Amino acid sequence: MGNECFKVNLLDMNQKRKSLKMFGRLISFVKPYKPLFGLAAFCVVLLSFLSPFRPYLIGTMVDRYIVNSQNAELLLTWSIGIAVLLFSEGILQFASSYFSNLLAQSVIRDIRKNLFKHIVSFRMKYFDKTPVGALVTRVVSDLEAITQVFSSGIMEISGDLISLSMVLSLMFITNWQLSLMTLIPIPLLIVATRIFAKAMRSSFQLERLQVTKLNTFVQEHLTGMSIVQIFNKNKEEYAKFVEINKGHRRAHINAVWANSIFFPVVEILSSLSIAFLLVWGALRVDGKSTLEIQAMYGQIIAFTLWIYQLYRPIRQLADKFNVLQRGVVRAERIFEILDHDAQSQFGGALENVDFNADISFKGVSFAYKEGQDVLRNIDLNIEKGTTVAIVGSTGAGKSTIINILGRFYEHERGEIRIGEVKIEDIQLSYLRKNIAVVLQDIFLFSDTIHNNITLGDDQISRAQVIEASRAVGAHDFISRLPGNYDYSIGERGTVLSVGQRQLLSFIRAFVYNPQVLILDEATSSVDNESEVLIQRATEQITKGRTSIVIAHRMSTIQNADLIVVMDKGEIIESGTHQQLIKREGKYNTLYEKQIFQPKG
């Protein structure tokens, strides 16, 4: 039993150290905004000192100018003074709230920028394992929760603690015996607060998991809604959503349950303090003269106000510590990503590399999962200015060659060179600037056609876009759209046909004028008319450029300078179309299956 308690205490200590470390890292983001932080802190501290003096002044005013002298002129003067103090408190409250929230939004903006910049630097392997919905939760919901750490956490907690110190000091200075009497319920409140804080932390952790699970499910199923409807899985997926939603509700109910118990406890204890104050007053009245009883009025009024000022911050402190805990719990997830350097793509330093050079693969191997090689000892030389086609059955490793050439994944063994330069020595952005890839799975943003082609690059003019569109043969269909190049295509470009979307992806690649052009089964999903257009455009754009074509349709690669045949991660044949047909090997088999397959 003793060992179990020791383990629990050790876990609590470790968790507290971890939370303090996370909190410290959050605070480090305030450094660029020290003046703003100082201004907000000044307003909070000044407000915390002024507010506790108000009950003292009201009590003094009652004693001097209502009970004793009844001086209407001085009473009016003191009343105006107290009104001015209240007005000043209101201004300070506004200023502290405004500057605290401005600080919070500035800090969160910086963290969000750092987080997104870090995420886009990750290798594709990271995104293969991490649900998109989980990342959306980190970038949006988790950071919103952290905002409250700065806006209603640190500042207000500090202000409440100062205010509590001031209230207690004034209470004991005024009447230490009465102070002790009214503070009898405080130990119970401290115990209740500790229990409440532990319960809330566990509920926040559960809430965090359920929010991520819900966001992930919704994001995936909205993206894949066509699959759900095509296979008539509406009821099944709805049933799954109902269960996840129940879990989400339970997680929030746990927090509501703790709040529902704690806050009535605070109200009861504050009422007890008022009751002890009244008991003290009743005991003091016995045997006293009218003047002596009247002399107690000011103190009773002041203490009544102080008790409310004492319990309100304590009650709010519990709320704000919850906000702080929620923010720290969410910060753990944010910093977990920011600290995740193993998946980052570290680029080289070389720029101005001549991409008009041979591309060579020497003994290159790669595995998506350790011990399961997808590429095995690839030796391949792609001469500058030539078109090389890579063919093979599904899973042969064709697309993987493209992935490691663009460093979307890092090869594990062997080396890849552009001329004499290793690709890992080339600055990553410069490498990708010179290599354009057209994928089979086209992704278009919810934006205009022009912006989808240029991807927001202001250096690419409308004239260049139109010229590239004419080269591809897409200018006519774009011109027929409402607004032509300013036509908004909606999410993922679903208002366009598959062939039209593919043509836009071709224009996107062409307009960047790449040194190396890669077509990854780019014509496999288009109709015959679009394929003819793309073939014509490809012939123009590949002139004088190194081009790599991963082909599904054999008819598109017969004129390639070199055809490479892959099987199970290895190159088994290479040569021109005619050479490979004469060998009657794997290529010939694939060609005959496709060209002479039965029709109808």
Side-chain angles (χ1 to χ4, degrees), residues 528-566:
N528 292 332
E529 183 180 351
S530 298
E531 182 183 356
V532 171
L533 290 173
I534 290 172
Q535 284 181 340
R536 289 175 184 170
T538 302
E539 290 173 5
Q540 295 297 319
I541 200 69
T542 54
K543 287 180 180 179
R545 287 187 176 86
T546 305
S547 302
I548 303 172
V549 181
I550 296 176
H552 176 71
R553 298 183 182 182
M554 297 298 181
S555 59
T556 63
I557 61 166
Q558 293 181 29
N559 295 325
D561 298 299
L562 177 68
I563 298 174
V564 176
V565 184
M566 295 190 66

Side-chain angles (χ1 to χ4, degrees), residues 259-461:
N259 277 304
S260 300
I261 292 177
F262 178 72
F263 292 119
V265 168
V266 175
E267 291 298 326
I268 291 170
L269 294 176
S270 65
S271 299
L272 278 176
S273 288
I274 296 293
F276 285 126
L277 173 64
L278 296 176
V279 167
W280 175 85
L283 293 174
R284 293 292 301 272
V285 165
D286 188 34
K288 301 287 184 180
S289 66
T290 302
L291 290 176
E292 288 175 321
I293 293 172
Q294 289 176 341
M296 296 165 49
Y297 290 169
Q299 277 193 17
I300 291 174
I301 291 172
F303 267 81
T304 301
L305 295 174
W306 275 328
I307 287 171
Y308 281 114
Q309 285 191 344
L310 188 67
Y311 277 92
R312 185 185 62 192
I314 291 175
R315 173 177 173 168
Q316 290 176 345
L317 272 174
D319 264 342
K320 290 161 190 172
F321 273 118
N322 290 340
V323 167
L324 208 57
Q325 281 188 327
R326 182 186 277 114
V328 169
V329 168
R330 300 293 179 90
E332 289 176 12
R333 294 156 34 125
I334 299 298
F335 290 125
E336 182 182 326
I337 296 176
L338 288 173
D339 293 338
H340 196 87
D341 284 333
Q343 293 291 348
S344 295
Q345 303 173 95
F346 296 104
L350 296 180
E351 294 188 37
N352 298 321
V353 176
D354 184 10
F355 275 77
N356 188 25
D358 293 354
I359 301 173
S360 60
F361 292 72
K362 295 181 180 179
V364 174
S365 296
F366 172 79
Y368 291 103
K369 293 183 179 179
E370 190 174 351
Q372 300 178 19
D373 283 354
V374 178
L375 297 179
R376 301 181 184 87
N377 298 315
I378 297 296
D379 290 314
L380 175 63
N381 188 67
I382 301 172
E383 295 181 6
K384 65 179 181 179
T386 62
T387 298
V388 174
I390 304 175
V391 300
S393 55
T394 302
K398 306 184 297 297
S399 295
T400 303
I401 285 185
I402 305 310
N403 286 333
I404 61 175
L405 177 59
R407 290 191 63 198
F408 303 109
Y409 296 84
E410 302 289 350
H411 65 281
E412 295 159 356
R413 296 184 298 278
E415 61 181 36
I416 305 172
R417 292 177 180 267
I418 308 290
E420 297 301 320
V421 183
K422 293 181 180 179
I423 61 169
E424 56 266 32
D425 294 335
I426 303 172
Q427 189 184 74
L428 194 61
S429 60
Y430 186 76
L431 172 73
R432 292 179 179 168
K433 181 181 178 181
N434 286 277
I435 299 177
V437 183
V438 179
L439 300 171
Q440 177 185 2
D441 183 20
I442 316 111
F443 187 92
L444 298 175
F445 295 95
S446 180
D447 206 334
T448 64
I449 286 178
H450 177 87
N451 289 341
N452 265 285
I453 292 171
T454 63
L455 296 178
D457 190 340
D458 294 333
Q459 295 181 352
I460 301 174
S461 66

Side-chain angles (χ1 to χ4, degrees), residues 138 167 246 311 339 389-390 419 436 495 507-508 579:
R138 302 291 191 278
V167 168
K246 281 182 181 177
Y311 277 92
D339 293 338
I390 304 175
V495 297
I507 303 169
R508 179 191 287 172
Q579 289 171 343

Side-chain angles (χ1 to χ4, degrees), residues 20 41 69 138 166 214 218 221 275 344 383 386 484 489 544 594:
L20 286 172
S69 69
R138 302 291 191 278
M166 287 295 299
L214 182 64
V218 171
H221 284 71
S344 295
E383 295 181 6
T386 62
N484 51 74
I489 59 176
Q594 191 171 112

